[in-house]
Amino acid sequence: MRKAKIRKSVIIVILLVILAIILTPLWWAVVLSFDRAATTALPPFSWLPYEATLFNYKAAAKLIDLARYYGNTIFITIVNTLISVFFSLMCGYAFAKGDFVGKKFWYIFMLAVMMVPFESRLVPLYLQYKSWGLLNTYWPLILGNFAYVYGVFFARQNIASIPDSLAESAYLDGAGEWRVFFSIILPLSKPVMATLSILQVIANWNSYLWPLVVIRDSAKQVISVGVAMFNAQQNSVYYGPRMAVAVLSAIPLTILFLLLQKHIVASIAVSGIKQ
């Protein structure tokens, strides 16, 4: 018992040290965003602002159309999350409980797609959307989410753990596949939906390369590209406004994770059940 307590204490100390190493730069970024001294120079590290003020946020609001970037990103994120999560659960249900020709082949083929880097598909995708006349629109950012491969794999692993007896009981009562999916599978897949939603929100909120390639109009850009453009245009010594923009762009993800983090743990527990 004593060795176990010592081992547990050592692990806790190590984790706290790692947490401090990770959070310290983030906290300093927040401090710089509220520090007037960081407007034209980088002050020495401090846990609190030397001169607390909202000047950096006011300056950033005048230098970047953050509201427009926020609106574009929120729209794309909501649409893509709804599409990808719904179709991932639907396809995952088909692979987990369905019986159709070529099921194993298509599942293996789908997993093989996960191994292909997006960068290797970027040029063909660009030429494809260009031939369709969809460049500089939101469609290139949306259409690909109908096939969220990792989401299908993750949903399939979790749905496979749902007892078949639940669906069989519904079939005996005259329910069809859609009724089973909406009345049984979806309610039991809330942790999966929460986890996939978080992953999709993070992916869409931080998406940079693909929006940069397919969207030329700055008024239609997402926040990650907007922040990068802002940093490229500003003098490198304007740390305060740049940190203010960075903090504002990270707030939605932070709030979302704090609200849904327990569902991630629950989903991992479900995915660990043996078939």
Side-chain angles (χ1 to χ4, degrees), residues 24 27 31 45-49:
T24 297
W27 177 252
V31 170
F45 175 80
S46 174
W47 292 106
L48 295 174

Side-chain angles (χ1 to χ4, degrees), residues 119-141:
E119 288 76 11
S120 65
R121 296 180 281 122
L122 190 147
V123 173
L125 285 173
Y126 177 85
L127 296 176
Q128 174 182 306
Y129 287 116
K130 182 180 180 181
S131 65
W132 291 350
L134 297 179
L135 293 182
N136 204 33
T137 68
Y138 293 136
W139 286 112
L141 306 180

